[in-house]
């Protein structure tokens, strides 16, 4: 163990903390999808990680479409126009996949009043189905005779390999916090995540649809008697979670630059961990849980080594639940104050 690496100097401590906050912001955005669906339906949507994964591919595909496949390195400013188009595409794609999940994997079970365990199994099945569908995208294109036309997108024979954005975004250092060089990409990731979280929090607390979400989360039957369209609220909840996952996918691709058909698995598990740590069903808890998780796993990688990064994250989850089973904030979505 290398405690001196983390606590040996203020620069080192601030460096690991700041780096953790950047990844924590992405965890927080993905965690929103888990926490919103759980807050309304009391169901864990394990397929949300694949909603995120589809968003990452949408980002890369927009760059291929608008730029081509030539590998280049651009500054954030030069890539910004395509990034904005990619953001819209990723949010649309992830939103549509989330709606498809709700329609195919959840709604039939809810109509039959199936046990929540069945819905959980359905979510796990949907997660694998979506992941495998992306891994077989070259076969789908081949069935329609489009494999040559779509070769840049479906990667014939290599659909399960890492798929990289042809445009690498080179971060520009802006200032230092300790030994960590804060770049323009880091700043955009953190600020964008916080702004979206605040906007969503206010949307749920201030708008009519947000009141509907909270009403269904508190008591679905009473909400229906009061005229709230529960089905519409559930669809909207899935859609909002998907839109946030698409935004997170864009930030992820800015930072990482590559994806693959199982890219959402570990990140999705960590985002779920963040949602549980913050208090699943609590929007502000998702932000807090994501940031805490990002920082703690970065600290853990400094002390125990990078190979222990994931272990630290999940041990932290167990410790938080042992000490505070309802999570750090605990308040459920339905109890949020307007």
């Amino acid at each position: 163990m290398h405690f001196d690496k983390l606590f040996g100097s203020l620069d080192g401590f601030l460096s690991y903390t700041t780096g953790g906050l950047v990844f924590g912001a992405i965890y927080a955005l993905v965690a929103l999808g888990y926490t919103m669906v759980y807050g309304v339906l009391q169901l864990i949507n394990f397929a949300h990680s694949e909603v995120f994964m589809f968003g990452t591919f949408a980002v890369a595909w927009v760059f291929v479409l608008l730029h081509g496949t030539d590998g280049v390195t651009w500054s954030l400013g030069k890539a910004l126009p395509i990034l904005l188009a990619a953001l819209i595409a990723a949010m649309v794609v992830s939103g549509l996949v989330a709606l498809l999940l709700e329609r195919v994997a959840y709604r039939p079970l809810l109509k039959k009043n199936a046990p929540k365990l069945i819905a959980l199994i359905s979510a796990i099945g949907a997660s694998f189905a979506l992941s495998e569908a992306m891994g077989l995208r070259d076969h789908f294109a081949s069935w329609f005779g489009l494999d040559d036309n779509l070769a840049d997108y479906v990667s014939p024979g290599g659909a399960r390999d890492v798929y990289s954005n042809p445009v690498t975004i080179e971060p520009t250092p802006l200032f230092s916090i300790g030994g960590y060089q804060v770049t323009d990409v880091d700043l955009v990731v953190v600020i964008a995540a916080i702004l979206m979280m605040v906007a969503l929090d206010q949307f749920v607390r201030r708008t009519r649809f947000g009141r509907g979400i909270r009403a269904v989360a508190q008591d679905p039957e009473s909400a229906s008697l009061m005229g709230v369209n529960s089905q519409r609220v559930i669809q909207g909840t899935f859609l909002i979670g998907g839109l946030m996952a698409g935004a997170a996918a864009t930030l992820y691709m800015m930072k990482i630059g590559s994806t693959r058909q199982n890219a959402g698995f570990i990140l999705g598990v960590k985002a779920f961990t963040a949602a549980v740590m913050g208090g699943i069903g609590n929007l502000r808890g998702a932000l807090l849980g994501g940031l805490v998780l990002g920082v703690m796993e970065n600290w853990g990688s400094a002390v125990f080594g990078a190979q222990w990064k994931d272990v630290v994250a999940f041990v932290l989850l167990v410790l938080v639940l042992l000490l505070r089973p309802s999570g750090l904030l605990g308040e459920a979505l339905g109890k949020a104050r307007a």
Side-chain angles (χ1 to χ4, degrees):
M1 290 188 285
H2 305 283
F3 286 101
D4 58 318
K5 197 172 178 181
L6 179 61
F7 299 110
S9 68
L10 182 61
D11 282 357
F13 178 79
L14 291 175
S15 173
Y16 282 105
T17 302
T18 309
L21 287 174
V22 175
F23 276 98
I26 297 175
Y27 294 154
L29 277 180
V30 181
L32 277 177
Y34 290 103
T35 211
M36 287 200 68
V37 171
Y38 184 85
V40 172
L41 295 176
Q42 304 293 297
L43 295 175
I44 299 171
N45 179 16
F46 270 117
H48 188 64
S49 54
E50 275 53 57
V51 173
F52 165 82
M53 179 268 292
F54 269 77
T56 61
F57 273 94
V59 173
W61 287 340
V62 166
F63 272 92
V64 171
L65 179 67
L66 298 181
H67 162 70
T69 56
D70 295 337
V72 295
T73 300
W74 288 354
S75 66
L76 179 60
K78 187 174 181 179
L80 193 58
I82 300 182
L83 264 178
L84 292 176
L87 172 65
I88 295 171
M91 293 179 75
V92 169
V93 168
S94 292
L96 290 175
V97 173
L99 286 176
L100 179 68
L101 269 176
E102 186 274 333
R103 182 69 182 83
V104 175
Y106 289 98
R107 195 186 302 180
L109 298 176
L110 293 175
K111 283 184 177 177
K112 295 178 181 176
N113 202 23
K116 296 189 186 306
L117 177 62
I118 302 300
L120 177 64
I121 295 171
S122 176
I124 294 172
S127 172
F128 281 107
L130 287 171
S131 176
E132 289 302 304
M134 184 57 78
L136 295 171
R137 62 186 185 278
D138 53 340
H139 289 70
F140 295 136
S142 177
W143 291 350
F144 296 99
L146 298 172
D147 43 344
D148 288 336
N149 295 331
L150 298 178
D152 293 339
Y153 304 93
V154 300
S155 306
R160 293 177 182 275
D161 298 338
V162 173
Y163 189 86
S164 297
N165 188 345
V167 176
T168 301
I169 298 174
E170 184 174 18
T172 302
L174 298 178
F175 55 89
S176 297
I177 297 180
Y180 186 87
Q181 287 281 338
V182 178
T183 68
D184 50 357
V185 172
D186 294 334
L187 213 56
V188 167
V189 168
V190 173
I191 292 176
I194 291 175
L195 287 179
M196 282 187 277
M197 292 287 299
V198 170
L200 181 60
D201 184 71
Q202 292 303 306
F203 174 79
V204 170
R205 289 168 185 271
R206 308 288 182 196
T207 67
R208 183 176 180 181
F209 191 81
R211 288 194 291 273
I213 291 176
R214 288 186 285 125
V216 174
Q218 274 188 329
D219 190 336
E221 292 182 0
S222 298
S224 296
L225 291 174
M226 296 297 290
V228 176
N229 187 333
S230 298
Q231 187 59 55
R232 188 175 166 220
V233 166
I234 293 170
Q235 282 180 312
T237 301
F238 270 85
L239 176 62
I240 292 170
L243 295 176
M244 292 297 109
T250 307
L251 300 178
Y252 175 87
M253 290 299 285
M254 281 174 56
K255 185 74 179 168
I256 305 299
S258 62
T259 184
R260 60 188 306 171
Q261 50 97 19
N262 60 356
F265 180 72
I266 288 295
L267 191 139
V269 173
K270 288 186 178 179
F272 175 68
T273 301
V276 174
M277 280 178 56
I280 191 162
N282 186 313
L283 297 179
R284 296 176 183 180
L287 175 62
L288 179 63
L291 295 178
V292 169
L293 179 65
V295 170
M296 294 302 290
E297 71 171 12
N298 234 24
W299 286 358
S301 67
V303 174
F304 301 107
Q307 68 272 27
W308 288 84
K309 188 174 183 180
D310 295 340
V311 177
V312 170
F314 299 127
V315 168
L316 178 65
L317 170 67
V318 174
L319 291 176
V320 169
L321 291 181
L322 285 174
L323 298 173
R324 189 173 170 81
S326 59
L328 295 173
L329 297 187
E331 184 185 8
L333 181 65
K335 297 178 182 175
R337 304 290 189 270

